[in-house]
Amino acid sequence: MANAEALSSLPRRGVAGWLRNLVTRNVSAKIAALPMIVTVLVVFIGCTGWTIWYSFTDSGLLPSNEFVGFAQYERLFRTSRWNVSVWNLIIYGSFSLVFTLTIGFVLAVLIDQKVRLESAFRTIMLYPFALSFIVTGLVWQWIMNPTLGLQGTMRNLGWESFTFDWITDPDMVLYAMLIAGLWQGTGFVMVLMLAGLRSIDDEIWKAARVDGIPPWRAYLFIILPMMRGVFVTAVVLVGAGIVRLYDLVVALTGGGPGIASEVPATYVYDYMFTAGNIGQGLAASTMMLVTVLIIIVPWAYLEFGGKGRKS
Amino acid sequence: MSNPTMISATVATDPVADDLDLKARGPKPKPFFTPKRIVLYSILVVACLYYLFPLYVMVMTSFKTMPEIRFGNIFAPPLEITFDAWVKAWSTACTGLNCNGLSPGFWNSVKITVPGVIISILVASVNGYGLVNWKFKGSEVFFSILIFGSFIPYQVMLYPLVMITRELGIFGSLPGVIFIHTIFGMPILTLLFRNYFASLPEELFKAARVDGAGFWRIYFEVMLPMSLPIFVVALILQVTGIWNDFLFGVVYAGTQNYPMTVQLNNIVNSAQGSPEYNVNMAATILTGLVPLIVYFVSGRLFVRGVAAGAVKG
């Protein structure tokens, strides 16, 4: 440690005083927090800023400094692959959100009915969550194989007209992806909802029964509103996962057939690394960021009530 | 419906029952197999079939021979259990240029996951500890931005990080991908540790300070020993998160160090010639085995860990 006497003769006020405090007060804590500070500044703020800045340049294989305004974005919005990707994500995202929450909630309600073997049911429903999206994508790709998977099997067993070739059908491939995605994600939401249900006071149930309210009404109009917090958390988590959708697409369909299951994340990766067009990749990822901000910022504002107030 | 008063009146006047303490207590037990219960269990069992079906198909397919698979019945168990597909998946399947199976990928994943888990947890736990007990001006602001930043899609920071890791000389190497995992694991893990340390009694910390202990001593001698539960939760989150990762592995690890997930995808989706489904399925199971074992062993803790990762603010 520096010489205490010398330090104590330094000014205490103003900028110099602030500098002095910066270096002497709580030094260990500051050093220990250095990784966090560096990460926040360099990675989250710095890299994001770099990406946004350079999305306005003419970068190809390597970043260039030639400023081209909104040219990358104009090209982006004119590219059918991008527009298809965005639309795919919207469809997949909406269905995924609605179904994951609904199925998760319903399953949680069912399990909460003092079911025996609750642990077994929970373990079975949650294990897919422990798997990689690659594993999930590949096993469902095999199951949905038209010749040798489910469709082939049913036909060989005698059900000649059974059709399940969604994975090769450009109009239905997103729904095939949905089946795989729900398989992986619903168990987690179910566990969240179950925790929320369990945290509701027993008195509420008793009061509802005494008042003669039928169970389904009690769930819809009393319990659901009380679980607002859990629902919000679930929505945020599922939503954050949807925007990042990448591994599942790569494993299940590779973006196909054609571009029928492309998503923004695959667009970014392909243009940035495979096609050597960094500018497009940066513009696309900036658009992904904008989408996330549009969803997160209003939520954060509602939850935490503006700057300065922590929840 | 019987009148409860009548029942108790009848029972109360029975001297024999009184003597032997055989009075009925509590509400009359409901029969187990009500229609409602049957419907309830049926729905749950059907749901479980949906979740178990892929696992069943994976396992069955991996033990079959290719001619058997071409028969086209994914429900049927193998006529004869053969481990050929498993051996091939592990040691001779082709992952791009090399045909050494998944075993290099497995060891790469181990080499990435073990240091990655240790470093990311150490850094985050020290962060959480500092944020709770040693607040300094601006610490909360940094923390808020950290959490906010965890929502940013990785793709936004992907390329600049490539440049940074290149400058640091760790691009395309094991330290590179471990570095990336530490960075992106920080928000959730720091949140986890911060919430946990905040729930510990302050007196403990104050007493240690009075005894003259500094930042690091208190961390190692007071905080760490008390934090076993949360360390286990963080361990589970990180082991599954890092092992299952694909994007960071394929971008930052370098071709020699591809983790198992990347190798797996190569085996299945980049195969030349006719696909060998039994090998594919065996490879898929092998890749999913480690996090599955972690899941089954840790059971409740996994649920708590995952839910803890979901608790915000």
Side-chain angles (χ1 to χ4, degrees), chain A residues 3-295:
Chain A
N3 189 331
E5 272 181 25
L7 278 178
S8 57
S9 63
L10 286 176
R12 287 173 189 270
R13 293 196 186 278
V15 177
W18 177 84
L19 270 174
R20 172 205 157 150
N21 282 338
L22 190 71
V23 175
T24 54
R25 283 248 179 92
N26 229 343
V27 180
S28 296
K30 287 177 186 162
I31 295 182
L34 219 51
M36 174 176 72
I37 297 176
V38 167
T39 303
V40 165
L41 288 177
V42 173
V43 176
F44 288 129
I45 300 182
C47 288
T48 309
W50 190 95
T51 297
I52 300 177
W53 181 264
Y54 273 83
S55 70
F56 292 112
T57 67
D58 188 23
S59 308
L61 196 55
L62 290 170
S64 99
N65 282 312
E66 196 179 310
F67 192 72
V68 290
F70 283 97
Q72 295 285 10
Y73 291 93
E74 282 165 20
R75 181 175 157 188
L76 195 67
F77 298 137
R78 268 188 284 123
T79 314
S80 68
R81 185 175 154 184
W82 170 255
N83 294 321
V84 169
S85 299
V86 173
W87 185 238
N88 286 344
L89 195 62
I90 292 179
I91 297 182
Y92 178 83
S94 327
F95 277 101
S96 177
L97 204 56
V98 169
F99 278 110
T100 311
L101 289 176
T102 314
I103 297 178
F105 182 68
V106 168
L107 286 177
V109 166
L110 291 178
I111 291 196
D112 194 36
Q113 302 299 314
K114 298 193 183 30
V115 165
R116 295 194 194 175
L117 305 172
E118 176 191 309
S119 287
F121 281 122
R122 221 181 39 215
T123 308
I124 292 177
M125 292 183 190
L126 191 57
Y127 88 84
F129 191 71
L131 297 170
S132 163
F133 273 114
I134 301 286
V135 169
T136 304
L138 291 177
V139 69
W140 279 99
Q141 186 196 74
W142 168 234
I143 292 178
M144 299 199 228
N145 182 312
T147 6
L148 297 172
L150 197 59
Q151 176 176 276
T153 305
M154 289 309 211
R155 290 191 177 174
N156 287 337
L157 287 177
W159 189 347
E160 293 290 320
S161 57
F162 184 81
T163 343
F164 188 46
D165 58 355
W166 288 3
I167 206 174
T168 50
D169 181 351
D171 293 324
M172 297 297 284
V173 66
L174 284 179
Y175 304 104
M177 215 156 67
L178 200 62
I179 294 179
L182 289 176
W183 182 78
Q184 173 137 11
T186 39
F188 172 64
V189 173
M190 185 272 290
V191 164
L192 271 185
M193 299 280 179
L194 193 61
L197 280 174
R198 293 267 158 89
S199 70
I200 292 183
D201 215 358
D202 260 345
E203 300 297 318
I204 309 274
W205 298 112
K206 290 196 186 135
R209 229 180 300 145
V210 165
D211 280 346
I213 304 178
W216 66 270
R217 270 186 149 232
Y219 273 111
L220 270 184
F221 296 111
I222 304 179
I223 305 298
L224 264 188
M226 286 186 71
M227 288 180 57
R228 197 195 84 101
V230 176
F231 263 91
V232 169
T233 306
V235 167
V236 169
L237 288 170
V238 175
I242 288 173
V243 176
R244 294 214 182 112
L245 189 68
Y246 177 72
D247 308 16
L248 187 61
V249 176
V250 168
L252 189 72
T253 58
I259 54 170
S261 60
E262 289 283 345
V263 288
T266 49
Y267 188 94
V268 170
Y269 184 85
D270 288 345
Y271 271 85
M272 223 185 246
F273 294 108
T274 321
N277 188 339
I278 299 178
Q280 274 291 288
L282 296 177
S285 46
T286 307
M287 287 312 299
M288 284 174 72
L289 177 66
V290 168
T291 320
V292 168
L293 285 178
I294 292 180
I295 303 174

Side-chain angles (χ1 to χ4, degrees), chain B residues 2-308:
Chain B
S2 3
N3 188 336
T5 351
M6 252 172 56
I7 291 183
S8 52
T10 329
V11 170
T13 54
D14 184 341
V16 178
D18 266 342
D19 266 344
L20 297 174
D21 207 16
L22 289 174
K23 280 189 269 219
R25 266 179 271 255
K28 178 174 166 190
K30 287 191 254 184
F32 184 70
F33 285 110
T34 61
K36 201 174 105 176
R37 288 258 133 190
I38 295 182
V39 169
L40 175 69
Y41 279 94
S42 318
I43 301 180
L44 284 175
V45 168
V46 167
C48 283
L49 288 178
Y50 169 53
Y51 290 105
L52 286 173
F53 180 57
L55 187 63
Y56 173 80
V57 169
M58 261 199 281
V59 173
M60 292 294 124
T61 309
S62 69
F63 285 124
K64 291 181 185 170
T65 56
M66 271 316 286
E68 221 184 308
I69 293 180
R70 290 210 193 88
F71 257 154
N73 186 346
I74 52 175
F75 294 124
L79 292 169
E80 210 184 288
I81 296 191
T82 37
F83 286 93
D84 291 347
W86 289 78
V87 172
K88 185 143 190 222
W90 182 255
S91 24
T92 54
C94 291
T95 62
L97 291 174
N98 304 321
C99 287
N100 297 319
L102 270 183
S103 49
F106 174 77
W107 293 114
N108 287 339
S109 286
V110 171
K111 283 190 252 176
I112 296 175
T113 307
V114 172
V117 167
I118 296 176
I119 297 179
S120 57
I121 289 184
L122 274 179
V123 171
S125 64
V126 171
N127 269 343
Y129 160 61
L131 281 172
V132 171
N133 292 315
W134 299 84
K135 293 197 234 275
F136 56 87
K137 254 205 204 138
S139 60
E140 287 297 306
V141 172
F142 277 113
F143 178 65
S144 309
I145 304 183
L146 192 74
I147 298 300
F148 198 78
S150 69
F151 286 107
I152 304 179
Y154 299 141
Q155 283 76 15
V156 173
M157 297 167 281
L158 215 56
Y159 194 77
L161 276 173
V162 169
M163 290 180 18
I164 292 180
T165 45
R166 268 208 205 120
E167 285 300 307
L168 292 175
I170 53 176
F171 180 70
S173 70
L174 284 176
V177 69
I178 294 175
F179 176 67
I180 298 287
H181 279 302
T182 307
I183 290 182
F184 286 111
M186 228 188 274
I188 291 190
L189 289 179
T190 307
L191 180 70
L192 208 67
F193 281 106
R194 176 181 178 264
N195 288 346
Y196 182 78
F197 286 130
S199 71
L200 295 179
E202 236 196 309
E203 292 75 43
L204 232 64
F205 177 72
K206 288 199 178 129
R209 283 282 272 162
V210 164
D211 282 345
F215 184 90
W216 293 106
R217 240 185 101 195
I218 299 186
Y219 175 73
F220 282 109
E221 295 180 16
V222 177
M223 294 294 159
L224 267 195
M226 291 192 59
S227 322
L228 195 59
I230 198 70
F231 266 90
V232 173
V233 168
L235 192 82
I236 296 170
L237 261 183
Q238 281 303 84
V239 168
T240 38
I242 296 184
W243 185 275
N244 286 339
D245 159 73
F246 177 78
L247 184 65
F248 296 147
V250 86
V251 174
Y252 298 102
T255 352
Q256 299 308 314
N257 305 312
Y258 276 156
M260 221 172 172
T261 43
V262 180
Q263 304 272 33
L264 174 67
N265 189 51
N266 283 347
I267 291 182
V268 178
N269 283 330
S270 326
Q272 270 123 350
S274 58
E276 294 183 290
Y277 297 110
N278 47 1
V279 176
N280 291 349
M281 284 299 114
T284 310
I285 298 180
L286 283 171
T287 310
L289 213 52
V290 165
L292 266 185
I293 292 177
V294 170
Y295 170 70
F296 282 117
V297 162
S298 60
R300 312 207 118 228
L301 283 177
F302 185 92
V303 173
R304 215 180 297 158
V306 150

